Amino acid sequence: MGQPSGEFRQEAVRTRGGELVSGGLLVTVGTPDGSEVRPCPEEWRPQPRRIGRSEPARGPAGGPGRAVGPLALGAGPADLPLLDREADVAQLLGLLAEGRSIRLVGQAGSGRSALLSAVAEAAGDLAPGGVVQLCGHHRTAADLLQDLFAATHHAPGFRPDPGQLAGHLARVGAVVVIDEVEPTGAELEQLLAAAPDCAFLISAAPDGPLLPADSRLQDHLVAGLSRAACLALTARLAGRPLDAAEKAWAVDLWFESEGLPLRFVQAAALLRQRDVAVDALVAAEEDRLDVFGAVRAPVHDPDPAVREGELRRSVPLPSVAETASPAVRLAEGLSEPAQAVLRLAVALGGECPTAPHLPALIDVGQGESALHELADAGLAVSIGGHHRLTAGALELLAPHWPARGCTDGAAQHFAWWVGHSSVSLEQIAAEAEVVIGVLLADRTAGRHASVVRLARAAAPALALALRWGAWERALRLGLDAARETGSRADEAWFHHELGVFAVCVQEPGRATAELEAALALRAAVGEPRGAAAARRMLDLLRAEGRQLPSGEQAAPTPPRRPVIRAIAQVPWRFKTTPGTVGRTRRTVVAASAAVLAIGVLGTAVALTVAGPEEHRGADPHSSPYDGTGVPVGPPSPRPSLSPAAGAASPESPGESPTADETEPEPSASTSGPSHSPSASRKPSRSPAAGETATAEPSTPDQPAPPPVVPPVQTPVQPGPQPSVTRGPAPSPTSAPTTPSTSPSASTGPSGTVTPSGSPSPTASPTTSSS
């Protein structure tokens, strides 16, 4: 990472501005009156492209990121082998190959991050999407989903909404390795459900809650190393073999720490400090002999190695209590630059800036060496593009290493840095936790004006860098500081930005409250342009009661229209099974009798009001037959309507599939399905062979169907053809036309319903005998 050149105190603080797309919204960030949101035009919406396995993706979890590199981080080459973890690696690879998701649990310092890196390196060919390594340090579930999307898709400046993320990540099949995951419970399960084809390998905090019974994850315990592995690790890091006293000391530490690797990294650092003390004794003895000379012959062995061993035994080893909490003793043995960096990290809540910031903050020229020294001592670890203190180090060092003004000017430096044109958004994202640490340190020190200045400069940059968890934290810290300083204009700005953030994360209620507060404050302080910006946002939220557009809107539901195929289907309850033939026939008889009675009553009323010739109405959009097949007149003289004839037929008279327009005659009662469209909007099934259907009443508030619907022929079920009964059949397409018929009916042997006492077709006044 390059440090911008020039003296930062001589340049004005500039606010970074730009545009990004959030779902279906175009967000303009960094304007003088505050950020604004409007619907994004369709042609401006990004088209994400999947990143192939050959293209560079995210760096390893905990390792140097692409934005900063190892030199800025001060991380030296790690050539240490992974000891005593072969069985764990093989077991985890087997579970990942089966598509399982695993959560690594264990004590702080048990080596979960090292195990994650080893498994990720060996799991490259398990999934078609390869391995994606992410950092979960201070990331929300939404941030992790965005990082996963950015690692698998090329879409700069685009943050999909939850619906779009689900669509894009559903096609990703990869092994996702996340270190230091902070979301738990339902939030963690939603993170896993967003990528159903991915296998997750994560590490969580030691005090995390238990997994629910239906979780996709299964726990894998990361235990301590064996005694032999701990001794080998200590000797490797100490740079020499251990003598008998040091081996016994290391075995006592192994019993006390249960084999935690971090404790032996720190123990090796203590041994190196002891070696420095021994070397100082040897050098002092040699200088004394050279300057003053020996009064008498030396009594010790002339071999230098033997003499060094004797001097080493004179320097006591740390006690078990000191080894259990070695942070203070290790800090005392560091060089001055490393101690200055450690003091700065303690003041920033455990977050340590990268090397290019150290000369401007604490006047340390060799920041890379200082950071490397902290990592070798087991006091710091590289994660997420910067360093942070190891577990337990901050609590032990805070009482002994006060800030002493090491954060003075840090807010001004970072306010200038985030707005500099030579700083990339990836670099800002890597330093996001450091910026939040500076805000917290200044708030603790009571420098609220500095908090407001840095928050106003960093919030737009964090928004553009898509670190929205840090964006929200910066806005809330700035709002609290603005209230402390009494600056109502700054308070209104932070309320406005929080409202924009709530709009982007689809929380309209919270957005309305924040924007209304901003509008009231800006109107009180006399900012008409700012008030207009807040009013535009409120109008966007409240216009016609509509919701803000999402990235992928659902297609509008077409208006419902009657479908002949659906209406012609047979009701499920009328399907005949071998064991229910009698019950089905009784149901058919009852339904046929009801249909017959309704048709007879409607025909009688229609013939009474209008003559037979008037049944051929002049309305070109009405059918000469109603839903039951009975000829009806024009719609005006209808004093009484049956439920089956209450709506006009959707077909034109010339398209009636069952009757001729000029000379209608009742169709023969057959077992085939009727082709006359029903007037009811409620879909039902048409009677098949040997069955009949009931007419569904139409509700008055239903809209009229379209005038023309092409008829759909319902296929006749294969099987023996039933007999054809001449005369008026009880089907909806052929009802008796004489009002004096009896509604009783009988069922034929083939399942055809024949009304008893029905007149012959020649007796109808509206038909001609064939």
Side-chain angles (χ1 to χ4, degrees), residues 134-172:
L134 306 176
C135 173
H137 180 57
H138 287 178
R139 262 77 162 182
T140 63
D143 286 342
L144 289 175
L145 286 176
Q146 172 63 28
D147 290 345
L148 178 57
F149 170 78
T152 54
H153 294 78
H154 178 75
F158 179 47
R159 187 179 178 99
D161 59 19
Q164 291 174 317
L165 274 176
H168 291 302
L169 297 182
R171 299 187 292 269
V172 175

Side-chain angles (χ1 to χ4, degrees), residues 47 58 92 116 175 195 238 247 316 440 464 551:
Q47 300 297 327
R58 294 255 171 183
L92 292 175
L116 280 177
V175 176
K247 287 183 179 179
L440 293 172
L464 293 173

Side-chain angles (χ1 to χ4, degrees), residues 269-294:
L270 291 176
L271 291 180
R272 290 197 302 270
Q273 289 185 1
R274 182 168 176 259
D275 290 343
V276 171
V278 172
D279 293 341
L281 291 178
V282 172
E285 187 175 85
E286 291 177 354
D287 291 342
R288 185 171 59 252
L289 291 176
D290 293 340
V291 174
F292 300 102

Side-chain angles (χ1 to χ4, degrees), residues 287-376:
D287 291 342
R288 185 171 59 252
L289 291 176
D290 293 340
V291 174
F292 300 102
V295 178
R296 65 182 68 178
V299 296
H300 53 77
D301 196 297
D303 189 354
V306 176
R307 179 57 182 167
E308 182 178 349
E310 294 176 354
L311 292 176
R312 180 175 289 111
R313 284 191 294 270
S314 64
V315 178
L317 288 167
S319 63
V320 176
E322 291 176 333
T323 311
S325 301
V328 176
R329 181 161 181 170
L330 286 173
E332 293 173 350
L334 297 174
S335 63
E336 291 186 5
Q339 288 182 354
V341 174
L342 182 62
R343 192 182 303 275
L344 176 63
V346 171
L348 297 181
E351 308 296 337
C352 188
T354 52
H357 295 285
L358 298 179
L361 295 175
I362 53 177
D363 196 17
V364 173
Q366 300 295 328
E368 296 87 354
S369 300
L371 291 173
H372 186 56
E373 188 176 350
L374 289 177
D376 286 343

